[in-house]
Amino acid sequence: MAPKKLTEYERRRLENIKRNDQMLASLNIHSKINDLTASTKRQRAQTKSFKVIPEKKPKPETPIVVRRSLRSRGMPPDASTAGGLKDDLDETLTETPELKPILGPVTMRDAYCGDATDQVLVETLMGVSKNSQLCYGGENENLGYPIRVSGCVDLESLRLDPENVARIVPGRIFTVRFFPSTDMKLVAVGNKYGNIGFWNVDAKKEDGDGIFLYQPHSGPVSGIVVQPCSLSKVYSSCYDGFLRLMDVEKEFFDLLYSSDDAIFSISQRPNDVKSLYFAKGQGIVNMWDERAGKALTPWTLHSDRINTIDFSTNNTNIMATSSTDGTACIWDLRFVDAVRPNPLNTVSHKRAVHSAYFSPSGSCLATTSFDDKVGLLTGANFEDSSMMHHNNQTGRWISSFRAIWGWDDSYLFIGNMNRAVDIISSSKRTSIGTLESPHVSAIPCRFDAHPYRIGMLAGATSGGQTCTVVFCNFYSALELVIDIWSVYQFRVNVTWFLVYRNRRNDILLPQCFVRYWQVVK
């Protein structure tokens, strides 16, 4: 068979291939490719031969157990946890990030967290403290305690204005306290992060919003006490086991007392401004004596933590304590034995008692418990007791309810889970009304009645589970019935009113608020 004849195109193609092969051969391209391939293969072989041995992790001492419910394991429910959350779970120590406490005094400058200077607050407190005339005079001058105003309030006149909002501290509040002064309207609050915030409602526009924030503590602030005859001194207690004195004149947060146990409450006897009573650990009450400069012998009064301490104004030797052990006790300090103390009277609840407060006259005692009861003790020896139902199930993220007295023995004020404030009549033994407002966007929990301005009530709310909770104040106008209780007065339509201006624009923050309900007729 004759060979196939190539076309001109195929012939030229073969010639080009031959010419290109000769050119590559002259350049030693093939040998360089082989060397490069061999070199690459050797490097890969070396890399693969190097084996990185991972570092052995130590075996845990306790084996890892997969969490399974009791129901899936076919086991009956645990009786210790079947009742739900603990009574004091809303104020556990694990709720806040751990901060290293500072042993020793802290300057106000170091503790100050604001952007502007706090010199305005220092000058205000120093001026008011020097001009204070609230203490007893004449024969009772040595008692060293101011006179508290008493009077009835028109409940229908209580109102809350939406424009009265100001931001004070981050986080939810544990305590709120009015400064006992007729010359200014100043409120102090303590939150769960160790902050203490002050808000001067009477602050002038050129002085800013009147809000000053400090952080002298490393944990939740459990109590605030203002020295009644020296407003430049403010005591505070904390879960870090510290008692501090904010001395505005020295511009220091002095450390008075430190303990390994958490301090849950503080209080001061009405006739003794040189001593401070505080509750720590598991049912222990102690007294700090300013004259001795130390804490005296402690008393073990309860089997569990003490939530509040209060004294009767009628007889300052009578003290009331409330405890998580389910009891509230009345004590006579003159007959308390350090070894085996015996209370004058005890009221028992089924669950933790979060507060026990005497009425302004000292003749009644109101208790608030997690068993959905508000107790009322009356009589010469507080032998008559009655229980009123009230929903006190605040849960984990809201501070426990604590019913407080108003400005006489007629009414109690306590939070409502429907974002309101319930009013309980001590004579009718039932709730007679509710303070409601569309501007209340959270549940009010803690309250304080102004000791010298009838109808002015401060309320604190928790903003739920969020960590960036905003704390705010509400205040409105208060009709002045007696002119001697104020030096800031303006005439409006022949009626004396306190006129306030709006402090901030963020008035509808759905988080933590401090509100002032005041009388407006």
Side-chain angles (χ1 to χ4, degrees):
M1 185 175 179
K4 186 178 178 180
K5 186 179 181 180
L6 298 176
T7 62
E8 180 65 20
Y9 171 77
E10 292 176 344
R11 185 181 59 80
R12 293 183 62 180
R13 175 177 172 273
L14 294 176
E15 291 178 353
N16 291 336
I17 293 174
K18 185 178 180 180
R19 186 176 65 254
N20 292 337
D21 290 339
Q22 293 176 354
M23 183 181 297
L24 292 175
S26 63
L27 296 176
N28 294 326
I29 296 297
H30 291 288
S31 62
K32 295 182 181 297
I33 292 175
N34 293 334
D35 295 341
L36 181 62
T37 303
S39 175
T40 305
K41 290 182 178 179
R42 284 196 298 269
Q43 290 179 0
R44 289 181 180 177
Q46 292 177 359
T47 304
K48 290 182 179 180
S49 65
F50 182 75
K51 185 176 181 181
V52 179
I53 301 176
E55 186 177 351
K56 293 184 178 181
K57 297 182 179 179
K59 294 183 179 181
E61 297 179 358
T62 58
I64 301 176
V65 180
V66 180
R67 296 182 61 183
R68 295 175 58 193
S69 65
L70 296 177
R71 180 184 58 82
S72 63
R73 286 183 283 174
M75 299 173 62
D78 188 0
S80 62
T81 59
L85 300 175
K86 295 181 180 179
D87 291 344
D88 57 349
L89 189 62
D90 60 316
E91 296 174 358
T92 53
L93 304 179
T94 59
E95 187 178 321
T96 57
E98 293 186 0
L99 299 176
K100 186 177 180 180
I102 300 176
L103 292 173
V106 180
T107 64
M108 290 179 59
R109 178 177 299 179
D110 294 338
Y112 186 56
C113 303
D115 297 331
T117 179
D118 63 343
Q119 193 62 31
V120 176
L121 176 65
V122 174
E123 295 175 355
T124 301
L125 290 179
M126 289 300 300
V128 174
S129 180
K130 292 180 180 179
N131 298 328
S132 179
Q133 299 178 355
L134 290 176
C135 294
Y136 286 119
E139 298 178 356
N140 296 326
E141 186 176 0
N142 294 329
L143 294 178
Y145 210 80
I147 304 172
R148 182 185 177 94
V149 178
S150 178
C152 187
V153 63
D154 184 7
L155 299 179
E156 296 181 356
S157 300
L158 295 174
R159 53 179 293 181
L160 176 63
D161 294 336
E163 67 273 9
N164 301 325
V165 180
R167 182 171 183 162
I168 299 183
V169 296
R172 72 184 178 104
I173 200 168
F174 276 38
T175 180
V176 54
R177 189 71 59 193
F178 274 114
F179 269 66
S181 173
T182 60
D183 297 329
M184 65 176 179
K185 293 172 288 297
L186 183 66
V187 63
V189 297
N191 69 350
K192 69 175 185 177
Y193 298 122
N195 295 113
I196 297 178
F198 301 90
W199 182 42
N200 184 8
V201 182
D202 296 326
K204 299 179 182 179
K205 186 175 182 181
E206 56 269 18
D207 294 336
D209 53 12
I211 299 171
F212 306 92
L213 181 64
Y214 299 88
Q215 190 173 21
H217 294 283
S218 60
V221 179
S222 57
I224 295 176
V225 172
V226 182
Q227 189 73 278
C229 292
S230 180
L231 302 183
S232 60
K233 295 182 178 181
V234 180
Y235 297 98
S236 61
S237 62
C238 181
Y239 284 12
D240 58 11
F242 287 178
L243 278 178
R244 290 194 180 273
L245 169 62
M246 178 183 176
D247 195 327
V248 179
E249 184 176 0
K250 298 179 181 178
E251 298 190 13
F252 265 95
F253 284 94
D254 291 329
L255 179 61
L256 301 180
Y257 176 84
S258 62
S259 172
D260 295 334
D261 298 323
I263 298 178
F264 297 108
S265 60
I266 57 175
S267 183
Q268 198 169 48
R269 293 177 69 179
N271 65 339
D272 188 3
V273 297
K274 298 296 183 179
S275 61
L276 189 69
Y277 290 78
F278 60 95
K280 68 173 186 177
Q282 298 296 311
I284 299 175
V285 172
N286 209 334
M287 184 189 74
W288 167 263
D289 192 338
E290 181 180 346
R291 291 153 294 197
K294 63 180 181 179
L296 303 183
T297 304
W299 304 320
T300 302
L301 304 182
H302 289 270
S303 60
D304 208 333
R305 56 178 280 184
I306 296 176
N307 297 307
T308 60
I309 302 173
D310 195 31
F311 293 91
S312 172
T313 57
N314 185 31
N315 185 352
T316 57
N317 293 311
I318 303 301
M319 179 182 70
T321 56
S322 64
S323 174
T324 305
D325 63 6
T327 63
C329 298
I330 301 176
W331 312 84
D332 191 334
L333 298 181
R334 296 168 295 185
F335 306 105
V336 174
D337 187 357
V339 179
R340 190 175 296 177
N342 295 318
L344 295 178
N345 196 358
T346 300
V347 56
S348 298
H349 287 265
K350 296 180 180 179
R351 300 188 67 177
V353 183
H354 286 286
S355 68
Y357 294 128
F358 286 104
S359 62
S361 67
S363 60
C364 303
L365 181 72
T367 62
T368 308
S369 173
F370 211 60
D371 63 355
D372 291 341
K373 298 293 184 180
V374 174
L376 189 64
L377 277 70
T378 58
N381 297 316
F382 301 96
E383 67 277 4
D384 300 329
S385 63
S386 59
M387 294 291 173
M388 298 163 283
H389 180 269
H390 186 272
N391 182 14
N392 297 328
Q393 302 301 314
T394 54
R396 179 191 296 267
W397 305 108
I398 300 175
S399 299
S400 57
F401 288 159
R402 295 181 178 180
I404 70 163
W405 295 91
W407 301 268
D408 59 5
D409 295 2
S410 302
Y411 305 114
L412 290 164
F413 297 88
I414 188 173
N416 185 300
M417 293 300 292
N418 294 324
R419 301 179 181 180
V421 183
D422 287 334
I423 304 174
I424 298 176
S425 172
S426 59
S427 58
K428 297 181 180 180
R429 302 292 198 275
T430 185
S431 177
I432 61 172
T434 302
L435 298 177
E436 295 179 302
S437 173
H439 313 295
V440 179
S441 58
I443 301 171
C445 306
R446 301 292 169 83
F447 301 92
D448 189 39
H450 199 293
Y452 307 123
R453 296 182 182 274
I454 299 176
M456 184 180 290
L457 182 71
T461 73
S462 297
Q465 194 172 347
T466 59
C467 297
T468 57
V469 187
V470 180
F471 212 69
C472 301
N473 284 348
F474 284 72
Y475 58 94
S476 61
L478 169 65
E479 183 179 0
L480 297 178
V481 182
I482 304 176
D483 293 346
I484 62 173
W485 296 113
S486 178
V487 295
Y488 302 98
Q489 299 174 352
F490 301 87
R491 181 172 293 278
V492 180
N493 296 330
V494 198
T495 306
W496 290 93
F497 284 93
L498 291 176
V499 180
Y500 305 133
R501 59 179 176 82
N502 185 18
R503 301 294 181 187
R504 299 182 67 89
N505 295 324
D506 50 349
I507 62 175
L508 293 179
L509 297 172
Q511 301 178 12
C512 278
F513 298 92
V514 174
R515 300 172 172 87
Y516 287 87
W517 282 272
Q518 302 172 346
V519 177
V520 179
K521 291 187 178 179

